[in-house]
Amino acid sequence: MAIATRAARPSPLRTLWHSTVGKKAVMATTGVIMLLFLIVHMAGNLKIFFGPTDFNGYAHWLRTIGEPALHYSWYLWIQRVVLLACLVAHVVSAIQLTHRDMHARPQRYRSKRPWRATFATNTMRYGGAILALFVVWHILDLTVGAVNPRGEAGHPYQNVVADFQVWWIGLIYVVAMLALCLHIYHGFWSAAQTLGANNAARNVAFKTIATALALVITVGFLSVPVAVMTGLVS
């Protein structure tokens, strides 16, 4: 006599991940985590205006966070692993959602999409690709030091100055930061919608916050290469 067996039910997390709503929620959540990191990272970068002692001291301090519970640099490695996981989940979700969107819309309807929606979508897609490539460059440049003109471990101030004294490296950062500006603006607004935080009464406030965050973070990051390229920081 055959024994009937029940088909294994997928876990709620697995079901959520395979749904469109779930992928949007993953994008929104990981986007918020990375946004918080960008705010802190940008604020730390501004210490370069206080000179090499302060900036190099700040970089050293980051490696001692959590001591003695954590060993030297463990906090940074934990942070990197978390950010890498967020980045991978964010990118994979974006690619899969784009794939679904392309297959769900007949070709004849695409030309009828509102210009603003098309611009925002293209900005997120192409801007995201630019930022993904920039992250790889940034790691090789100022984390590993492999493509940095100086690349001397333990001297982040000098490495940053050496970087932006080369015009085309500065240009790479300017383009990436402009892409980041648009990505933060559209991403923050999309995250608010996905997480259900927005409504008709709060739309203006969220758009204002999105604009302010995008501008402050972008100007903060751009101030460093501009200061080096103009000789304000040397």
Side-chain angles (χ1 to χ4, degrees):
M1 180 178 179
I3 299 176
T5 58
R6 293 184 178 180
R9 292 183 179 180
S11 67
L13 287 177
R14 184 182 180 88
T15 301
L16 181 66
W17 167 250
H18 285 289
S19 69
T20 298
V21 172
K23 292 184 186 300
K24 288 183 177 181
V26 168
M27 283 195 69
T29 303
T30 54
V32 169
I33 293 173
M34 290 187 287
L35 177 62
L36 293 174
F37 165 76
L38 286 174
I39 294 172
V40 175
H41 186 41
M42 181 271 295
N45 281 0
L46 296 180
K47 291 188 71 68
I48 199 169
F49 291 100
F50 295 94
T53 301
D54 276 28
F55 191 75
N56 290 342
Y58 168 70
H60 173 73
W61 171 78
L62 288 175
R63 289 161 173 76
T64 64
I65 294 176
E67 290 185 341
L70 300 177
H71 290 289
Y72 185 78
S73 288
W74 276 24
Y75 165 78
L76 278 182
W77 281 107
I78 293 172
Q79 176 181 272
R80 288 164 182 165
V81 170
V82 171
L83 288 173
L84 179 61
C86 287
L87 180 62
V88 170
H90 196 81
V91 171
V92 170
S93 297
I95 292 173
Q96 292 180 345
L97 285 172
T98 299
H99 181 77
R100 289 186 180 185
D101 182 61
M102 292 175 63
H103 283 76
R105 292 179 179 273
Q107 183 69 30
R108 63 179 179 274
Y109 291 144
R110 292 184 182 177
S111 61
K112 297 181 181 180
R113 296 176 69 183
W115 180 85
R116 289 184 179 180
T118 303
F119 176 75
T121 301
N122 289 338
T123 297
M124 294 297 286
R125 290 173 183 172
Y126 301 130
I130 291 172
L131 292 173
L133 293 174
F134 173 73
V135 168
V136 175
W137 168 269
H138 191 58
I139 292 173
L140 293 174
D141 182 15
L142 293 174
T143 302
V144 179
V147 297
N148 186 272
R150 180 180 178 122
E152 188 174 349
H155 296 82
Y157 181 96
Q158 290 77 8
N159 291 340
V160 170
V161 171
D163 232 358
F164 298 130
Q165 286 177 339
V166 180
W167 71 268
W168 58 268
I169 294 180
L171 182 61
I172 289 175
Y173 276 74
V174 170
V175 172
M177 291 307 103
L178 293 178
L180 178 64
C181 181
L182 292 173
H183 204 79
I184 290 174
Y185 175 75
H186 292 303
F188 184 88
W189 178 242
S190 297
Q193 291 179 307
T194 299
L195 297 176
N198 70 315
N199 57 36
R202 294 196 291 259
N203 282 349
V204 174
F206 274 110
K207 286 185 178 180
T208 301
I209 294 172
T211 302
L213 278 173
L215 289 177
V216 169
I217 292 175
T218 303
V219 171
F221 277 121
L222 282 180
S223 66
V224 177
V226 170
V228 174
M229 295 167 74
T230 58
L232 182 62
V233 172
S234 61

